[in-house]
Amino acid sequence: MSILLDISHIDMTFPTAKGEFVALQDVDLKINKGEFISLIGHSGCGKSTVLNIVAGLYQASGGGIILGDREVTQPGPERAVVFQNHSLLPWLSAYQNVELAVKQVFGRRKSKAETKDWIEHNLKLVHMDHAMHKRPDEISGGMKQRVGIARALAMQPEILLMDEPFGALDALTRAHMQDSLMEIQAELNNTVIMITHDVDEAVLLSDRVVMMTNGPAATIGEILAVNLERPRDRLALAEDKEYNRLRSSVLRFLYEKQRKIEPIEKPNKAATPVAAHTNKAI
């Protein structure tokens, strides 16, 4: 496999009133063409910062990013981003929301007929061709996110960047979206970098799970290769020993190696004693 993206020893610092805050330190990762990568870690570990640097929204304080043979210094259509919020324009239909991206990227390189076919093709890819003329307030949350993914795919990006794209969805809708994403990647063989807080989602979807250490100065703690056969069936994997071993490895990293301890306030005399304190790992 050929390396598509080289994240080379990047650092990221932010100015604060108390001096510089080191968010990332020496993050080094090479991603192959067609690979699905999940970034996982505790809140505040710099996952979104890494994604924003790859997207060109932030400029790294040190190190660099090479996409193909080009250095990443600013946003570009070869890196499409899908956020947790669908970010659709509410006064436009699903078709028109995708059309905006297509016209922005391709301009006059596609004829009117080619543009129409391409928009409909991408909406069909995410199973939204039946509702292409509906506005966002006329469709469900999962359907809105499908349109957001169609809009990103219609740009023909080299890398699809996804920042917790299914985090706001209910469990059943989320499962359907995960299945759709696996179908799309199998068909397009596109490269995906996805941020998630969901261990099962990370193992189910990924070729590698990149686990981030806690900040400040967060970096890559471990990388777990997921060598499960594709296509993947979530019901069959529930009983699969290798799947459960991989899942346990991620949980062990998050809960034992990178446990995030929250300060426990001492109760005042009037307060009810706390019997136990449970840490949220992700």
Side-chain angles (χ1 to χ4, degrees):
M1 297 180 75
S2 60
I3 295 173
L4 177 65
L5 185 73
D6 186 357
I7 302 172
S8 183
H9 303 283
I10 59 171
D11 304 325
M12 190 69 199
T13 60
F14 294 100
T16 72
K18 296 182 179 180
E20 287 190 337
F21 173 78
V22 181
L24 299 174
Q25 188 171 65
D26 197 28
V27 174
D28 192 66
L29 180 66
K30 291 174 175 57
I31 297 174
N32 295 316
K33 182 175 175 58
E35 196 171 17
F36 196 118
I37 298 290
S38 285
L39 297 178
I40 196 167
H42 294 277
S43 296
C45 73
K47 302 183 297 296
S48 291
T49 302
V50 172
L51 203 76
N52 285 332
I53 293 172
V54 174
L57 300 173
Y58 290 167
Q59 185 73 44
S61 305
I65 293 182
I66 303 295
L67 175 59
D69 58 358
R70 308 179 304 278
E71 185 178 5
V72 172
T73 57
Q74 60 186 1
E78 71 280 358
R79 286 155 287 130
V81 185
V82 178
F83 296 103
Q84 184 172 345
N85 185 331
H86 54 81
S87 303
L88 302 179
L89 296 177
W91 58 88
L92 298 181
S93 67
Y95 180 98
Q96 291 168 325
N97 269 283
V98 178
E99 183 181 35
L100 274 180
V102 173
K103 287 185 173 180
Q104 181 70 29
V105 173
F106 297 103
R108 296 182 180 179
R109 284 182 288 158
K110 287 184 183 292
S111 68
K112 195 170 184 180
E114 287 173 333
T115 297
K116 179 177 181 295
D117 289 345
W118 181 242
I119 294 167
E120 291 178 356
H121 166 76
N122 283 280
L123 285 167
K124 187 174 183 179
L125 199 62
V126 298
H127 309 294
M128 280 299 295
D129 49 315
H130 67 287
M132 67 173 69
H133 299 301
K134 291 185 180 294
R135 294 191 309 273
D137 63 352
E138 298 175 303
I139 58 179
S140 69
M143 293 169 79
K144 292 172 189 173
Q145 199 65 319
R146 287 179 188 273
V147 176
I149 294 172
R151 181 178 56 188
L153 293 174
M155 297 165 63
Q156 281 191 307
E158 295 181 58
I159 298 182
L160 186 62
L161 305 172
M162 310 185 84
D163 192 351
E164 292 190 71
F166 312 137
L169 304 178
D170 64 85
L172 189 59
T173 303
R174 185 172 189 147
H176 288 316
M177 293 295 293
Q178 291 165 351
D179 292 339
S180 292
L181 185 56
M182 286 192 286
E183 289 174 10
I184 291 166
Q185 208 220 359
E187 181 172 339
L188 301 180
N189 192 36
N190 52 347
T191 306
V192 181
I193 304 175
M194 183 183 72
I195 291 175
T196 182
H197 281 94
D198 187 312
V199 173
D200 290 300
E201 179 173 80
V203 177
L204 175 67
L205 299 179
S206 304
D207 295 306
R208 286 189 292 163
V209 179
V210 177
M211 294 170 270
M212 301 285 294
T213 63
N214 292 336
T219 192
I220 294 172
E222 292 183 19
I223 299 177
L224 182 71
V226 181
N227 295 315
L228 298 171
E229 284 189 27
R230 295 184 185 273
R232 295 174 182 172
D233 183 320
R234 68 179 65 247
L235 295 179
L237 287 175
E239 305 297 327
D240 186 272
K241 288 183 179 179
E242 177 63 6
Y243 172 83
N244 284 293
R245 182 192 70 80
L246 294 166
R247 184 177 181 276
S248 295
S249 295
V250 180
L251 286 170
R252 191 173 298 111
F253 176 87
L254 294 170
Y255 281 85
E256 295 178 4
K257 298 181 181 179
Q258 287 297 316
R259 178 174 291 145
K260 194 167 186 178
I261 304 297
E262 301 291 344
I264 305 174
E265 294 184 5
K266 293 182 179 180
N268 57 38
K269 293 181 181 179
T272 304
V274 178
H277 180 72
T278 302
N279 293 307
K280 287 186 178 180
I282 50 177

